[in-house]
Amino acid sequence: VIRCRAAVAWAPGKPLSVEEVEVAPPKAGEVRIKIVATGICHTDDHILKGSLPNVEFPVIPGHEGAGIVESIGQGVTSVKPGDKVIPLCLPQCGECSFCQNPESNCCQKSHFSEPQNLLPDKTSRFSCKGKQIHHFLWVSTFAEYTVVPEYAVAKIDAAAPLDKVCLFGCGFSTGYGAAINTAKVKPGSTCAVFGLGGVGLSVVMGCKAAGASRIIAVDINSDKFAKAKELGATDCVNPRDFKKPIQEVLTEMTRQGVDYSFEAIGHVDTMIAALASCNMNTGVCVMVGVLDSEISIDPVLLLTGRTWKGTMLGGWKTRECIPKLVSSYLERKFNSDLLITHTLPFAKVNEGFELLHAGK
């Protein structure tokens, strides 16, 4: 058993508490990882607010990390101690019908099929003060050590800087893949991206990599526009600068609506605006942000031919694709380092969430 620090969410609505926890050794088919770096994603914020369904407290959040294999359980063959890895919040078991379908990336072992609050044998590897602590999406990267199933671990290049590629565990991969894999953005097309956090800016990078000729970045925080332009946005629009709905503004700017729109926030009104802003015949709208409420739409928006689709982790088959993305990063095919705004010590995890809430 390893004793180490972890940020525990004891109950919804409370800040994280940095505690000493016990992390049990890996059982058969499991991997224990020393987490070196983790990003903070809005999904973790949804947990703390208690708005993410099927999550059980107390829990160690975090799902965007990178680390080094510390030990392996019986039967594990794809990684060994000392390997650099990214734990995967979307597993790839390789055996279910979704994993065997080349068009699908949402493994049936994922949280949407059954909750990942305990490891597959329905027990936890975490305890604190004599209490069982739940896992989050199996990965729980807000702990200095974590245990995950082998099929939720991607081995990456030994040259990868873990404090930079931790973003590939969720934010960067999700946004970049939403443009390249889910929307399949075509060269010369026009795109609109709603929300310029880490995921939205990664969508901008994906649209640029796919050869879009016009990328319109939309956010109510104009402080984000400089970075959006640096990453490839051609236009930046603040909805608060207009008296009319943003979908009307975008339709006028493009004469017919954009070819592709992406919602990377998770709000009902922006989701509808993104759908309405893509052209009514062949426009594709991709839902990237996690919605925490139901949505109702006018079916006429879809009747004329628009496509509305969602994406999980950017459509990547995680175990085979995340290592390739890391290799592309090492080959300097894109610069995801620009997404990193602050680097904080682990003890200041709550300050990280304050920066997130402040839009910084």
Side-chain angles (χ1 to χ4, degrees), residues 169-186:
C170 177
F172 173 73
S173 306
T174 297
Y176 193 74
I180 287 175
N181 300 326
T182 310
K184 296 184 169 59
V185 168
K186 291 179 182 158

Side-chain angles (χ1 to χ4, degrees), residues 178-232:
I180 287 175
N181 300 326
T182 310
K184 296 184 169 59
V185 168
K186 291 179 182 158
S189 59
T190 299
C191 303
V193 181
F194 287 72
L196 301 175
V199 175
L201 290 170
S202 301
V203 176
V204 170
M205 293 167 79
C207 293
K208 183 184 178 185
S213 60
R214 194 172 185 193
I215 303 167
I216 306 168
V218 182
D219 202 297
I220 55 173
N221 181 354
S222 298
D223 293 346
K224 298 194 170 185
F225 291 166
K227 189 156 278 188
K229 288 205 159 154
E230 191 178 357
L231 291 169

Side-chain angles (χ1 to χ4, degrees), residues 2 26 30-36 66-73 76-86 145 153-162:
I2 288 178
E30 296 174 356
V31 180
R32 186 159 61 180
I33 301 166
K34 179 183 185 188
I35 297 290
V36 173
I68 296 164
V69 174
E70 177 272 333
S71 58
I72 56 175
V76 171
T77 56
S78 61
V79 293
K80 62 185 185 304
D83 284 347
K84 286 188 178 180
V85 292
I86 290 178
Y145 287 85
V153 180
K155 179 183 171 180
I156 59 169
D157 194 306
L162 297 176

Side-chain angles (χ1 to χ4, degrees), residues 69-335:
V69 174
E70 177 272 333
S71 58
I72 56 175
Q74 187 186 346
V76 171
T77 56
S78 61
V79 293
K80 62 185 185 304
D83 284 347
K84 286 188 178 180
V85 292
I86 290 178
L88 305 167
C89 55
L90 186 65
Q92 186 187 349
C93 75
E95 293 170 0
C96 70
S97 61
F98 288 177
C99 281
Q100 291 183 357
N101 178 347
E103 312 240 312
S104 153
N105 79 315
C106 220
C107 174
Q108 284 172 316
K109 295 223 167 24
S110 76
H111 196 71
F112 289 93
S113 302
E114 54 180 87
Q116 293 167 278
N117 301 320
L118 296 168
L119 290 185
D121 71 349
K122 300 294 180 252
T123 62
S124 170
R125 300 293 164 270
F126 295 124
S127 57
C128 178
K129 300 174 182 170
K131 281 190 177 155
Q132 169 183 282
I133 307 293
H134 291 91
H135 295 249
F136 174 58
L137 301 181
W138 288 339
V139 291
S140 292
T141 58
F142 290 0
E144 291 177 318
Y145 287 85
T146 191
V147 178
V148 296
E150 181 182 15
Y151 49 75
V153 180
K155 179 183 171 180
I156 59 169
D157 194 306
L162 297 176
D163 61 328
K164 302 291 193 284
V165 300
C166 60
L167 305 184
F168 290 51
C170 177
F172 173 73
S173 306
T174 297
Y176 193 74
I180 287 175
N181 300 326
T182 310
K184 296 184 169 59
V185 168
K186 291 179 182 158
S189 59
T190 299
C191 303
V193 181
F194 287 72
L196 301 175
V199 175
L201 290 170
S202 301
V203 176
V204 170
M205 293 167 79
C207 293
K208 183 184 178 185
S213 60
R214 194 172 185 193
I215 303 167
I216 306 168
V218 182
D219 202 297
I220 55 173
N221 181 354
S222 298
D223 293 346
K224 298 194 170 185
F225 291 166
K227 189 156 278 188
K229 288 205 159 154
E230 191 178 357
L231 291 169
T234 55
D235 307 71
C236 293
V237 178
N238 187 330
R240 291 185 169 161
D241 293 342
F242 300 90
K243 293 219 162 51
K244 59 179 85 165
I246 188 64
Q247 53 265 45
E248 289 180 25
V249 175
L250 294 175
T251 303
E252 283 172 19
M253 282 173 73
T254 56
R255 296 211 175 108
Q256 58 183 21
V258 298
D259 300 307
Y260 305 95
S261 64
F262 302 85
E263 202 277 3
I265 305 163
H267 287 322
V268 169
D269 49 354
T270 42
M271 210 68 89
I272 292 167
L275 180 62
S277 66
C278 64
N279 95 61
M280 68 180 198
N281 188 11
T282 56
V284 175
C285 175
V286 180
M287 185 189 300
V288 194
V290 176
L291 262 181
D292 50 16
S293 60
E294 290 193 354
I295 188 166
S296 58
I297 64 151
D298 177 355
V300 173
L301 283 171
L302 298 173
L303 194 68
T304 50
R306 282 185 184 90
T307 302
W308 195 18
K309 59 203 305 192
T311 186
M312 275 309 297
L313 232 137
W316 305 105
K317 282 191 182 285
T318 48
R319 284 188 87 194
E320 59 196 68
C321 296
I322 300 297
K324 292 176 187 166
L325 268 182
V326 170
S327 299
S328 296
Y329 163 83
L330 292 170
E331 290 160 15
R332 305 222 161 117
K333 290 190 176 162
F334 46 76
N335 185 7

